[in-house]
Amino acid sequence: MASLISKSFSGMGKFRNPSQNLAIGRCKGGYLSKKSCLDLSTPFKSNNTLRNSFNLNFNRVRYNSTVDGVVESTTERRLPMSQNQDNNKDPTPLTPTTATSQTSEENDMKQATKPVTSGKGSKGKPVSLEIKDPSIIFNTVWMKLEEKYGRDNMRFPKEIIWLMGAPGSGKSFNTPWILKARGLDAPEIVMSSLLTSPEAEKIKKEAGLVGDSTVVEILLEQLIQSQYTNGVLVDGFPRTKVQVDVIKMLHDKMKEMRSEFVDTDLAIYFRRPVFRVAVLFVDEAEAVARQLKRGREAKEHNLKVRDTGMGELKEERLTDFDPELAKTRYGVFKSHYSTLQELQKYFPFSVINTRATIDEVRNNIMREFMYQSSLELSEETFDMVQKIPLVLEISQHARQNLVRRLDNYQMQNAHLFSEVIDIIKKQFIPVMEKHMISGNAQIRIQNPIFEGENSLALQMALDVLSERGYYANSHQIVHYVPKKFDLKTGEITSKKVITYIFNVTFKRTNIR
């Protein structure tokens, strides 16, 4: 049987991805382009011929020797042909790799410093042959979740903040301020804590690392939970190029779902997605210093807890006690950051320097995450509301306009202006003095000087109060007082009386 299989493969040449449009030609042992040729005429010395042949689309395998019927091999990772941008070039082999680390920053650091072993039967972990095509990963996970929950339940948060922070940048301290600035009350999703499911723990025990497919599935399933409807902050994602692409695909998919449900009763659950990327940054020297300081403080704290039996132990990280490990951890952050930068082309991207004072960092966060209607409202809603000018546009020259009006009153209507000021002095001020503690007074006046829809005297009074530092507005109440009653006809003649009510607020006097 083995020889029959070998013969059937001997004339096929290298397997070719169907999506690649390569010219077909004769090559040694096969009929595919020389660019895509790999001689398979030599029979495989393995009982897993079919499986290994299939994997040729994604890996280049060199067989070294056979020990007790088991093939020892060295695997060079390479991109799938479907990901090769230039179909006329042979895909560039990558270095041997395992599945992407996503358990914690420490695991990433170990991956960066520890050599990777491969090959069945070796002392190291087996190499993962996980497909690194983001489209395949995302679509597979999406279909799996859609089948599990139903398409109309694929309801993701309106807003997602993707957070990354340098070691020692104070993520745990500053995250609450980011949530407050955005008005989010749902707890943040911390990837290192999320990847503690039985499935993830099993993978970490077997291979030590959790692959992109598993990470994406766990994250997306968490995001559709109802507690995150209005928005959520995700800490520790993305970390790889694949995960960056997944974020873009998720955003596109959410827009697609919005278009699909826009005219249904479920439209409120499929709103315009708002993605933001935030990076808390400190330089390497400061990051190392903060990590080592944290290590000393944690050690001192834990000694007191053990001596007294009171309090809770703090985590003692290896990287918080070794300067070289602290630098390596910062190097991992830099590699993640370079991957994350691609998202600047698509979403609001904020880099916040946390080396400043606490107040400065807090103000920077509030400024970076302030409300932006053009970003957050749907396109249709924004087109409607932008017809109304912003308060800043109206108030920008309010003081200059006030000064100009007051001067005009004096120059063009001096007599009326003088009467209004006299009314304020005699009828307004006595009432306001009685309410200085409360900071709010209401003045009722029946004076024909203010009559008329466009009463200039009424505008004068409001302007004078504003110039003096009071906040005032007015309205009028019209009521009719019986003046004459005709006994013969029963007709009642009434007099129209207008009461002008001025609501004046001002800075209250503090008693204590």
Side-chain angles (χ1 to χ4, degrees):
M1 181 64 181
S3 61
L4 179 61
I5 294 175
S6 300
K7 289 179 181 179
S8 65
F9 278 94
S10 63
M12 292 181 63
K14 181 182 176 181
F15 282 84
R16 183 168 65 93
N17 190 310
S19 65
Q20 236 182 346
N21 298 320
L22 297 176
I24 297 179
R26 178 82 177 176
C27 68
K28 182 179 179 181
Y31 292 89
L32 299 180
S33 166
K34 292 183 179 180
K35 292 284 185 180
S36 300
C37 257
L38 178 67
D39 187 4
L40 299 183
S41 59
T42 303
F44 289 114
K45 298 179 180 180
S46 170
N47 292 329
N48 297 322
T49 304
L50 290 174
R51 177 175 57 82
N52 291 332
S53 299
F54 174 82
N55 285 336
L56 285 174
N57 272 318
F58 299 93
N59 300 274
R60 177 178 295 156
V61 182
R62 176 165 52 83
Y63 294 92
N64 297 325
S65 62
T66 303
V67 179
D68 297 331
V70 178
V71 177
E72 295 286 346
S73 64
T74 300
T75 304
E76 294 180 334
R77 263 313 255 121
R78 65 182 295 171
L79 289 172
M81 292 182 182
S82 61
Q83 289 181 255
N84 187 12
Q85 295 180 355
D86 188 350
N87 289 335
N88 295 324
K89 294 182 180 180
D90 194 34
T92 305
L94 301 179
T95 56
T97 175
T98 62
T100 305
S101 171
Q102 191 64 41
T103 58
S104 65
E105 291 183 358
E106 284 78 4
N107 282 342
D108 288 332
M109 186 185 65
K110 291 177 182 178
Q111 178 70 3
T113 57
K114 184 177 180 180
V116 178
T117 57
S118 63
K120 185 177 178 181
S122 65
K123 296 181 180 180
K125 302 288 184 183
V127 173
S128 170
L129 300 181
E130 181 189 25
I131 296 174
K132 289 299 184 181
D133 187 318
S135 297
I136 295 177
I137 291 175
F138 178 79
N139 291 328
T140 301
V141 170
W142 182 275
M143 288 188 292
K144 183 176 181 180
L145 294 178
E146 185 176 316
E147 182 179 355
K148 182 177 180 180
Y149 295 99
R151 186 169 181 81
D152 57 355
N153 288 316
M154 298 294 283
R155 306 170 183 178
F156 287 85
K158 156 72 175 174
E159 176 177 357
I160 303 178
I161 301 173
W162 309 97
L163 178 67
M164 174 182 286
S169 61
K171 281 196 297 182
S172 59
F173 179 80
N174 290 302
T175 294
W177 288 104
I178 297 176
L179 296 176
K180 182 178 180 180
R182 296 303 307 151
L184 302 179
D185 53 10
E188 65 271 24
I189 296 176
V190 181
M191 291 305 301
S192 58
S193 300
L194 191 62
L195 295 175
T196 56
S197 65
E199 181 182 6
E201 291 293 345
K202 180 180 178 182
I203 293 175
K204 286 187 283 185
K205 287 180 180 179
E206 293 179 353
L209 301 171
V210 182
D212 285 318
S213 296
T214 303
V215 172
V216 171
E217 181 176 347
I218 292 175
L219 175 59
L220 295 191
E221 187 165 16
Q222 184 70 16
L223 285 174
I224 60 176
Q225 303 305 312
S226 59
Q227 63 178 323
Y228 304 119
T229 299
N230 292 325
V232 67
L233 181 147
V234 179
D235 179 358
F237 188 97
R239 289 186 174 179
T240 68
K241 177 64 169 64
V242 170
Q243 294 172 10
V244 166
D245 291 338
V246 164
I247 285 181
K248 293 185 288 184
M249 293 176 189
L250 175 61
H251 189 266
D252 291 342
K253 194 70 173 180
M254 290 173 66
K255 291 196 295 183
E256 175 188 321
M257 296 288 283
R258 177 175 179 269
S259 299
E260 179 179 334
F261 288 92
V262 68
D263 294 324
T264 71
D265 294 338
L266 298 176
I268 190 63
Y269 300 109
F270 299 93
R271 295 174 290 175
R272 177 189 180 188
V274 177
F275 282 14
R276 298 171 181 266
V277 182
V279 179
L280 303 181
F281 175 80
V282 290
D283 57 56
E284 182 176 14
E286 180 68 13
V288 172
R290 289 187 181 185
Q291 290 179 80
L292 298 179
K293 179 183 178 183
R294 181 174 58 197
R296 292 192 300 269
E297 292 176 347
K299 189 172 184 180
E300 293 174 2
H301 171 82
N302 291 342
L303 286 175
K304 292 180 180 179
V305 172
R306 293 186 181 99
D307 290 341
T308 62
M310 299 175 62
E312 296 183 359
L313 294 174
K314 292 184 177 180
E315 180 184 7
E316 294 185 17
R317 304 179 183 180
L318 293 177
T319 54
D320 290 350
F321 297 95
D322 187 327
E324 292 304 317
L325 290 179
K327 290 180 181 179
T328 302
R329 189 174 177 219
Y330 190 85
V332 171
F333 158 73
K334 290 199 296 185
S335 67
H336 291 166
Y337 176 68
S338 62
T339 302
L340 193 69
Q341 281 183 304
E342 183 180 342
L343 293 177
Q344 290 187 82
K345 306 173 186 175
Y346 307 97
F347 311 116
F349 194 101
S350 302
V351 179
I352 301 171
N353 184 0
T354 60
R355 190 172 184 177
T357 65
I358 293 177
D359 289 340
E360 289 174 336
V361 173
R362 189 175 303 166
N363 291 335
N364 289 340
I365 289 174
M366 299 303 289
R367 182 174 62 253
E368 288 289 336
F369 290 95
M370 66 187 301
Y371 172 76
Q372 298 179 37
S373 58
S374 61
L375 173 65
E376 302 180 36
L377 295 175
S378 68
E379 293 86 348
E380 299 82 1
T381 305
F382 179 70
D383 288 342
M384 293 294 292
V385 301
Q386 70 171 343
K387 297 175 183 178
I388 307 300
L390 295 172
V391 63
L392 181 62
E393 298 172 2
I394 297 177
S395 64
Q396 186 173 10
H397 303 293
R399 182 175 61 84
Q400 293 88 339
N401 293 335
L402 173 63
V403 171
R404 184 171 59 252
R405 287 198 303 270
L406 290 171
D407 286 340
N408 287 337
Y409 298 152
Q410 174 59 30
M411 290 185 293
Q412 299 176 12
N413 302 93
H415 179 71
L416 180 61
F417 190 38
S418 178
E419 285 188 67
V420 170
I421 291 178
D422 191 57
I423 292 173
I424 293 175
K425 182 178 179 181
K426 294 179 178 180
Q427 300 184 45
F428 282 58
I429 298 301
V431 177
M432 292 189 291
E433 286 178 341
K434 295 178 181 179
H435 295 83
M436 290 305 296
I437 295 177
S438 67
N440 187 16
Q442 187 178 85
I443 297 94
R444 292 172 174 260
I445 295 179
Q446 294 178 2
N447 194 318
I449 195 175
F450 296 120
E451 289 184 7
E453 293 184 0
N454 299 315
S455 172
L456 182 60
L458 185 62
Q459 183 63 51
M460 286 180 177
L462 294 175
D463 283 346
V464 169
L465 290 170
S466 297
E467 197 280 333
R468 295 288 85 187
Y470 301 96
Y471 301 94
N473 62 75
S474 69
H475 66 280
Q476 63 184 33
I477 298 177
V478 178
H479 56 279
Y480 295 88
V481 178
K483 184 179 179 181
K484 182 180 177 181
F485 179 72
D486 192 329
L487 295 175
K488 294 182 179 181
T489 63
E491 181 181 356
I492 299 174
T493 303
S494 300
K495 177 184 178 182
K496 180 180 179 181
V497 178
I498 302 177
T499 301
Y500 295 90
I501 301 176
F502 292 83
N503 294 303
V504 184
T505 58
F506 39 87
K507 186 176 181 180
R508 54 180 293 183
T509 301
N510 293 322
I511 303 301
R512 295 179 183 273

